[in-house]
Amino acid sequence: MQIRITTDSVNKDAALILPIEKNGHLSAVLQQIATEFDLDSQFLELDFAASAKEIMPVQGNTPTGKIRMYLLGLGENPTFATWLQVARTFFHNNRKKLPLQLQVAWSFGNRPENLPLAIEGICNGFCLGEYKIGRFKTGDDQVSTQVETSLEFLVAPSEIAQAKTSAQRGQAFAETQSTLIDLVNAPSNYKNPIDLSNWALRSSEKHQFTVRVMEKAEIEKTGLHGLLAVNRGSEYPATFTIMEYIPNGPVLKKVGLVGKGVTFDSGGLSIKPSANMHFMKSDMGGAAAVFGTLEMAAKLKLPIHLIGIVPATDNSVDALSVKPSDIISSYSGKSIEIIDTDAEGRLILADGLSYMVQNYQPEILIDLATLTGSVIRSLGYVAGGLFSNNEELSKDLISAGQRSGERLWPFPIWEEYGEMIRSDMADVKNFSGKPMAGAITAAKFLEHFIHDHTCWAHLDIAGVAMSDTEFSMQKSATAFGVRLLIDFLENLD
Ligand code: BES
Ligand code: MN
Ligand code: ZN
């Protein structure tokens, strides 16, 4: 998509898009539009309530001819997430019939309170709306013949500079998010641990950060026993990817991110039921969020020293697979009793977290993982679960979630939950064995491996990494976490 910011006037050969909020000015806005384009304001008011995602195509009149217009409803008090979502759904659902030239105008009393935010959201949304999920289809409709759409924002001269920055940000996010969505949607036979590492390597060639990939032999030498245990049953060797972004100027904070990179989770010997097993190709949504955050931090040149770690493997059934009752070691040296081989994410994260703390000493430590079905039963597909030992970090992450539209909701991590994963034979067990508080006991397990770090948060994104989107009939990838974390990092002081 080609995005332009100009002070031009309305061009009747383009489709005119008018985003409109539902507020006390609605009637006045519609009247102004009616006057300008010679329409009947009474009908307009009857037909268009400006509810969120409401779309009304209208044929307007200009002195030189007819013009296609779309009134885009935003509902009341639109947030950043509203702008993004409305734009994305509109463009995705109408892209086949829209002309190649689009204009967005604000000069009819419809100027939003925060124009830069609106422009960023619309650009992010339109660019994401171009996403096509069917990249493995072979039919004609997949051959891209489409010429690039041009999206033009008509603004006042004083607004140009700010609007350009916002548009570029929106587009930059969308580009990163689209590649992550492809990665998370990719089936496991197109996505081995090495493919995850290669994603990071390729990204680092284009952006200013470095990547080191540990392969099997080095993982063994390093003693990442949690990762090795999960990888035992796999035909593909595990990888352990370390990304590091160091800003050119002064460094505000050092932040460590760890993402779960399970490329397919069959459950292992504690095998999952088959009905929803195909969704387990996306058990690397945490890894994707970490990749995307590193890439965006580098693109935006954030003043943050950022380290990202992604342990990657699949969780498969094999004669060599780790078995329930096995006792394994970990990078931290602590022993772990395996009760359920389907609680594999926490084993690889344990090593990721330990390795991060012991080798990089970040001031803030955050891990992201599609970790439990339990968090989905608690929060549905609406928010990620937040587990933290630090009040301020927790507050800041929740605020970032609210602003970015990638919401988090806090859970307690009281010591009683820790009791539930005490093991008779080892330092800790990987599952309580009880069908309760599963997301919290998972967090308590991870807490064993942060080496008393005092500013840690675990984000369980099982419900939000995949959800209903306009791209597919089934749940599909969202790239959840990138907007959230970048917002969080940009607001650190
Ligand atoms: N990857 C799953 C969690 C998951 C479930 C993600 C549904 C997305 C959608 C995880 O590895 C898992 O299997 N968790 C188990 C843990 C249990 C065996 C202790 C769960 O939550 O059921
Ligand atoms: Mn599992
Ligand atoms: Zn898993």
Side-chain angles (χ1 to χ4, degrees):
M1 188 159 304
Q2 165 116 42
I3 298 179
R4 300 188 314 137
I5 311 287
T6 71
T7 54
D8 295 354
S9 45
V10 171
N11 163 10
K12 73 167 177 45
D13 297 324
L16 182 62
I17 292 159
L18 301 174
I20 300 171
E21 293 178 34
K22 187 184 193 122
N23 58 26
H25 307 296
L26 177 57
S27 167
V29 170
L30 294 179
Q31 276 175 34
Q32 228 177 301
I33 292 171
T35 307
E36 179 73 24
F37 297 99
D38 194 18
L39 302 163
D40 187 317
S41 72
Q42 242 174 330
F43 276 111
L44 217 51
E45 281 188 55
L46 285 172
D47 279 333
F48 185 72
S51 312
K53 291 201 183 182
E54 183 181 352
I55 287 157
M56 181 154 116
V58 190
Q59 198 177 58
N61 304 287
T62 73
T64 52
K66 304 260 187 213
I67 179 169
R68 286 169 71 185
M69 302 165 48
Y70 290 87
L71 309 191
L72 234 60
L74 292 160
E76 289 172 44
N77 304 317
T79 60
F80 176 77
T82 318
W83 286 105
L84 192 156
Q85 198 55 55
V86 164
R88 171 172 142 166
T89 306
F90 168 74
F91 188 71
H92 191 267
N93 294 346
N94 295 283
R95 67 193 190 287
K96 290 201 176 118
K97 60 185 176 211
L98 286 171
L100 288 176
Q101 248 182 306
L102 307 173
Q103 290 187 315
V104 181
W106 319 99
S107 50
F108 307 96
N110 61 325
R111 190 186 187 286
E113 206 176 280
N114 190 337
L115 187 66
L117 197 76
I119 292 181
E120 183 176 341
I122 292 182
C123 288
N124 199 153
F126 268 63
C127 294
L128 274 183
E130 285 187 309
Y131 180 75
K132 284 200 203 118
I133 198 165
R135 68 188 175 99
F136 295 99
K137 293 191 197 227
T138 57
D140 289 350
D141 58 330
Q142 293 309 310
V143 183
S144 175
T145 47
Q146 211 190 337
V147 191
E148 219 179 3
T149 299
S150 137
L151 173 65
E152 183 181 8
F153 290 87
L154 309 179
V155 301
S158 64
E159 296 167 334
I160 284 203
Q162 178 61 263
K164 277 193 175 154
T165 311
S166 300
Q168 272 161 11
R169 270 179 69 95
Q171 198 166 18
F173 269 105
E175 279 162 8
T176 295
Q177 288 165 326
S178 307
T179 61
L180 295 178
I181 289 174
D182 267 340
L183 186 68
V184 176
N185 283 335
S188 82
N189 59 331
Y190 282 84
K191 184 166 62 185
N192 293 328
I194 197 76
D195 295 314
L196 291 197
S197 303
N198 283 343
W199 194 101
L201 283 168
R202 255 183 288 120
S203 171
S204 75
E205 284 161 15
K206 284 179 262 165
H207 305 99
Q208 283 300 304
F209 67 94
T210 58
V211 174
R212 179 159 87 86
V213 178
M214 283 197 217
E215 297 195 29
K216 183 83 177 276
E218 200 180 349
I219 290 171
E220 281 168 347
K221 211 173 78 204
T222 309
L224 298 165
H225 301 294
L227 178 58
L228 288 166
V230 179
N231 191 237
R232 278 183 63 90
S234 174
E235 83 181 278
Y236 308 108
T239 62
F240 192 81
T241 304
I242 305 169
M243 290 151 279
E244 186 166 17
Y245 162 71
I246 304 176
N248 280 327
V251 175
L252 200 59
K253 279 262 156 59
K254 182 160 151 189
V255 179
L257 304 174
V258 181
K260 170 177 173 181
V262 171
T263 54
F264 190 84
D265 182 12
S266 72
L269 290 177
S270 315
I271 197 163
K272 285 180 184 298
S274 51
N276 287 316
M277 201 198 274
H278 59 287
F279 285 123
M280 287 302 118
K281 67 178 183 180
S282 69
D283 209 13
M284 34 59 73
V290 171
F291 286 164
T293 305
L294 262 288
E295 183 170 289
M296 279 310 297
K299 277 193 202 175
L300 297 171
K301 302 190 171 20
L302 298 191
I304 306 286
H305 180 178
L306 204 55
I307 302 110
I309 289 185
V310 169
T313 176
D314 60 1
N315 185 22
S316 291
V317 181
D318 188 88
L320 295 178
S321 292
V322 66
K323 301 181 189 74
S325 83
D326 283 0
I327 292 176
I328 64 164
S329 183
S330 61
Y331 181 74
S332 70
K334 288 193 185 184
S335 59
I336 303 168
E337 182 183 8
I338 308 291
I339 300 297
D340 192 312
T341 64
D342 198 11
E344 85 297 343
R346 63 200 73 182
L347 303 177
I348 72 172
L349 285 173
D351 282 353
L353 286 164
S354 282
Y355 191 91
M356 178 70 83
V357 176
Q358 301 209 319
N359 295 280
Y360 291 94
Q361 299 87 32
E363 296 164 80
I364 298 173
L365 176 65
I366 301 174
D367 72 79
L368 299 97
T370 48
L371 203 62
T372 68
S374 165
V375 83
I376 308 180
R377 287 188 287 280
S378 301
L379 298 172
Y381 301 100
V382 177
L386 168 65
F387 307 80
S388 179
N389 60 2
N390 187 294
E391 197 70 40
E392 195 186 333
L393 174 61
S394 188
K395 229 178 66 220
D396 290 349
L397 281 166
I398 291 169
S399 303
Q402 230 117 31
R403 283 189 300 265
S404 64
E406 298 185 342
R407 279 178 292 185
L408 296 173
W409 196 251
F411 286 74
I413 49 169
W414 295 314
E415 206 27 64
E416 287 88 335
Y417 296 110
E419 301 290 323
M420 293 166 67
I421 48 168
R422 270 176 46 185
S423 163
D424 291 324
M425 296 185 57
D427 296 333
V428 62
K429 60 185 180 188
N430 79 333
F431 176 42
S432 70
K434 300 191 186 88
M436 57 175 81
I440 304 179
T441 49
K444 290 306 281 185
F445 179 90
L446 298 179
E447 201 183 18
H448 280 268
F449 301 92
I450 61 172
H451 304 273
D452 297 319
H453 198 287
T454 54
C455 195
W456 160 69
H458 156 58
L459 316 185
D460 191 338
I461 60 170
V464 286
M466 297 272 270
S467 74
D468 292 327
T469 68
E470 43 286 86
F471 306 130
S472 58
M473 292 173 278
Q474 293 210 318
K475 293 201 183 307
S476 65
T478 59
F480 183 99
V482 181
R483 276 254 164 220
L484 166 75
L485 289 174
I486 293 294
D487 184 299
F488 167 75
L489 296 173
E490 286 187 323
N491 284 285
L492 283 175
D493 44 35

